[in-house]
Amino acid sequence: MSTRRSSCRTLFLRVALALMALATGSVHAATYTVGTTGGCSHVNLQTAVNTAPATPGPHTIRVNSETFTAQEVSITTSQELNIIGGHADCSAGQPMPNSRATLDGIGGNPRSVMRIFVITGGLVRLINLNIRRGDLTASGTEGGGIYFEGNG
């Protein structure tokens, strides 16, 4: 009977370790930083968004507390993406209290400031962002702050 218990425990431990290895081996989350101060990984949000799908797993994009003009950010994802504004600089791990990053469409093409397409399994969170002045297209089909399509 004790040999049987020992075999069951060994099997249980092997299965548990295999599941842990699978769970941790498949997630490669990345953090990107956006701002015009030194040390940022990207100078604008669109280039950071374009980089995020290169690695699997949930991603975070930290955006400095600045105003970015002529914004026309396009996101298509089936992954988790967190865009968090209000950071003092690109080395700050947390946003400043009551601070925001501003994404302004002025000076850009007549489109929404952000176009977000979420495919099954995806999730996009926008935190501490002011999104303003998207320009209406001639057809009137898009414009304003956010154009969203997909699961959400």
Side-chain angles (χ1 to χ4, degrees):
M1 184 102 154
S2 86
T3 305
R4 188 173 181 195
R5 256 189 239 166
S6 177
S7 295
C8 287
R9 270 190 233 144
T10 302
L11 178 62
F12 174 77
L13 287 173
R14 286 182 182 169
V15 169
L17 288 172
L19 289 173
M20 287 175 22
L22 285 173
T24 58
S26 63
V27 176
H28 300 287
T31 299
Y32 305 95
T33 54
V34 176
T36 59
T37 61
C40 298
S41 62
H42 300 85
V43 294
N44 65 59
L45 183 55
Q46 186 64 63
T47 57
V49 166
N50 292 348
T51 304
T55 57
H59 301 293
T60 299
I61 300 175
R62 298 187 317 224
V63 184
N64 284 355
S65 182
E66 299 178 37
T67 297
F68 299 86
T69 57
Q71 293 299 291
E72 176 183 328
V73 180
S74 181
I75 300 169
T76 301
T77 188
S78 61
Q79 297 179 347
E80 184 176 337
L81 179 62
N82 301 299
I83 301 173
I84 305 169
H87 290 81
D89 57 42
C90 287
S91 65
Q94 296 294 320
M96 298 181 299
N98 303 314
S99 187
R100 307 260 187 273
T102 299
L103 305 176
D104 195 324
I106 195 137
N109 293 314
R111 293 203 176 97
S112 300
V113 176
M114 298 190 82
R115 301 179 77 220
I116 303 171
F117 300 93
V118 177
I119 303 165
T120 301
L123 174 64
V124 176
R125 290 185 187 96
L126 306 175
I127 303 164
N128 296 337
L129 300 172
N130 289 326
I131 300 170
R132 66 183 188 193
R133 297 197 280 200
D135 300 314
L136 190 63
T137 60
S139 65
T141 56
E142 59 178 289
I146 300 172
Y147 175 87
F148 177 83
E149 189 176 312
N151 299 308

